[in-house]
Amino acid sequence: MERPRILVVGGGFAGLECARRLERKLAATEAQITLVAPFSYQLYLPLLPHVAAGVLTPQSVAISLRRSLHRTDIIPGGAIGVDPQAKVCIIRKITDQVVAEPYDYLVLAPGSITRTFDIPGLSEHARGMKTLAEAAYVRDHVISQLDLAAATLDQEERASRLQFVVVGGGYAGTETAACLQRLTTAALDRYPRLDPRLMKWHLIDIAPKLMPELGEHLGTRAMKVLRERGVEVSLGVSVAEVGDTTVTFTDGRVIPSRTLIWTAGVAASPLIGTLDAETVRGRIAVTAELRVPQFEGVFALGDAAAVPDLAKGDGAVCPPTAQHAARQGRKAADNLVAALRNQPLQPYYHKDLGLVVDLGGKDAVSKPLGVEMTGVPAQLVARGYHLMAMRTNVAKFRVGASWLLNAAAGDDFVRLGFLARRAATLRDFEYTGAYLTKEQVREHTQALHAKH
């Protein structure tokens, strides 16, 4: 008898945790497990600001899938369409070859992309912090601005190169602004021609509070730390227009700047749009057991799924965080095993373990199990949490060693030349134009049936 085919889409926190648990709970004879992922690693997303600041190398946060998984087949590519009626997933391999992969059970964990708005100039000039390539690119770009500012005699050009704008007052934006501001401040010692008074970082968000999930006290504390460092934090403000050398805020201010880092939220992967499924604010609607009710054998989780938050109730859905994604991955695996063995499925219920925000150096704010912490103790908790959350000892060692090296030797200010001659956009890094329409998915499915 042929083994059931389990196809896991996505190698992030949700997909990797699901595949790992399936390997542990299922015998090799019970199912064939396949993972679809465009890269050979799970990106440890919370530490991207450290990569952008050069505290960590890109390889440190790229956790090898082949070290984490032992008998799961890995297809190097991205899912670009799903036909749940035919039980087929359309995959574009990294060679651009398009194949149709049949399945018996499907786990959708394609993650999210950067959420953008129809703001003039945004798509041409914004840089994101969602992928490893983006973090490496942002680092090169920021250091190049210092180099170019030091090399020019044009005061207007110099002013625009030394002002940086980060949009988004959540964890990603706050940590990015904090880590990069710390890097550029340390770099000024190496640029004697630059006036420190011209250097300025702006962190803006349309929300009235910075990281409201932290609570009033810790959010205020984080904002105080940033402002004491010289970061200008503006709340209730967004971007009205982005130009080559200026950024216009919605309060009318025009900032001379050639750097806009956009971290204003996420949207579900466009893959969800290829299914005829009910959605909640763009995320596919699932039951508390992580099942997609319209389709047999389909589970969805992570950033792309609207998973009911039973701990909060009142129709709330779980926020798109790594903590939820990893735990949903394990629950999805448990429920998939239960489905294979004709056992009852269990709902996903998770009590929040707390939040950690690393502001670089000795600065941090943390709230583990509801206990508010700041400074060095918070920093130890934050970094300890990240090390525990990593899935391989190699990754833990690389990250820990890099932190120690940075603390002992300080920062470096090296440009690697990553896409040096090309102004890469969000679309370039996140491949948002790669997905099929529903009609194209059906065409691929029909071609598969005709072939067989």
Side-chain angles (χ1 to χ4, degrees), residues 114-115 117 119 122 126-129 164-170 172-174 176-177 201-206 234 237-240 242 247-249 259-265:
T114 300
R115 181 183 62 185
F117 301 97
I119 297 171
L122 183 67
R127 313 286 172 246
M129 279 291 290
F164 307 89
V165 179
V166 179
V167 184
T174 301
T176 296
W201 281 83
H202 300 265
L203 175 61
I204 70 172
D205 197 295
I206 196 66
S234 301
V237 177
S238 189
V239 173
V242 190
V247 178
T248 304
F249 293 172
T259 305
L260 176 71
I261 302 173
W262 182 268
T263 67

Side-chain angles (χ1 to χ4, degrees), residues 21-33:
R21 199 168 184 97
L22 286 171
E23 282 191 347
R24 289 198 300 270
K25 302 199 78 171
L26 288 174
T29 55
E30 285 187 274
Q32 174 188 334
I33 308 168

Side-chain angles (χ1 to χ4, degrees), residues 209-262:
K209 293 182 180 179
L210 195 69
M211 296 181 294
E213 301 90 342
L214 283 174
E216 187 75 30
H217 176 254
L218 288 183
T220 301
R221 173 64 180 171
M223 189 158 58
K224 181 181 177 183
V225 168
L226 292 175
R227 285 176 169 165
E228 285 176 348
R229 288 193 196 169
V231 178
E232 185 167 315
V233 182
S234 301
L235 300 176
V237 177
S238 189
V239 173
E241 186 176 356
V242 190
D244 290 335
T245 60
T246 60
V247 178
T248 304
F249 293 172
T250 52
D251 61 6
R253 282 181 290 165
V254 179
I255 306 299
S257 176
R258 298 170 188 245
T259 305
L260 176 71
I261 302 173
W262 182 268

